[in-house]
Amino acid sequence: PEIDSINEILHQHKISNIKIFGSVNDVYQRLSESKICILYSYYEGLPTVLLEGAYTNNVLLSYSSKGGVKDIVHDGINGFIVNDEQELQSKALYLINNESAVKRLSNNNTKVLESFSDESILDRWEKILSGVI
């Protein structure tokens, strides 16, 4: 609901490298065009948007939560987990101004996503069901 006011602030400050789309149907396309995926939420179960961001090679930036954020965002490896808005802003500015860090962090998504592959999940279920875990 705040999309118009946010876009007005971006326009007033002459910020052209940030786009606010609101709800979209083409999530994969939008994320493929971006470099940083920010989850601006304090509470998430399994944050699918972070998986989508990792899959499209975005650096991930999220608040810490009791849900699955830490399973997807490995702090300092493929993005950053922050505790407050000041830290979120600081890390976002760091990434916006540091292309080499964006490349380094986004390249680590492949390793993180391996734990979400069909094979990895099926292997864990087999272990659970056979009583190994």
Side-chain angles (χ1 to χ4, degrees):
E2 301 295 326
I3 193 166
D4 291 335
S5 60
I6 293 169
N7 280 324
E8 180 59 31
I9 291 168
L10 294 173
H11 178 73
Q12 288 174 358
H13 292 279
K14 297 180 173 74
I15 299 171
S16 61
N17 63 340
I18 297 175
K19 305 275 188 250
I20 307 295
F21 295 102
S23 181
V24 297
N25 292 324
D26 57 346
V27 173
Y28 178 80
Q29 178 63 35
R30 297 294 182 181
L31 285 171
S32 294
E33 295 170 356
S34 64
K35 295 180 181 178
I36 304 167
C37 178
I38 299 174
L39 178 61
Y40 197 78
S41 173
Y42 285 108
Y43 304 102
E44 292 294 327
L46 179 64
T48 305
V49 70
L50 291 177
L51 287 170
E52 293 167 335
Y55 181 74
T56 53
N57 226 23
N58 277 246
V59 174
L60 308 177
L61 184 55
S62 176
Y63 284 110
S64 181
S65 77
K66 293 182 180 176
V69 168
K70 292 180 181 174
D71 293 325
I72 302 167
V73 183
H74 296 196
D75 193 46
I77 305 297
N78 67 330
F80 298 105
I81 296 175
V82 299
N83 296 304
D84 57 47
E85 188 155 342
Q86 183 178 2
E87 192 178 3
L88 179 88
Q89 290 174 6
S90 173
K91 293 296 185 185
L93 284 172
Y94 168 75
L95 292 169
I96 289 168
N97 293 312
N98 194 332
E99 184 66 30
S100 64
V102 169
K103 278 187 175 181
R104 178 179 50 81
L105 293 165
S106 66
N107 285 336
N108 291 326
N109 279 320
T110 304
K111 288 183 242 174
V112 173
L113 288 172
E114 286 174 1
S115 65
F116 291 93
S117 71
D118 291 346
E119 296 81 21
S120 177
I121 291 171
L122 287 172
D123 182 54
R124 282 185 274 170
W125 271 110
E126 286 175 359
K127 288 178 181 174
I128 290 170
L129 294 173
S130 68
V132 174
I133 294 180

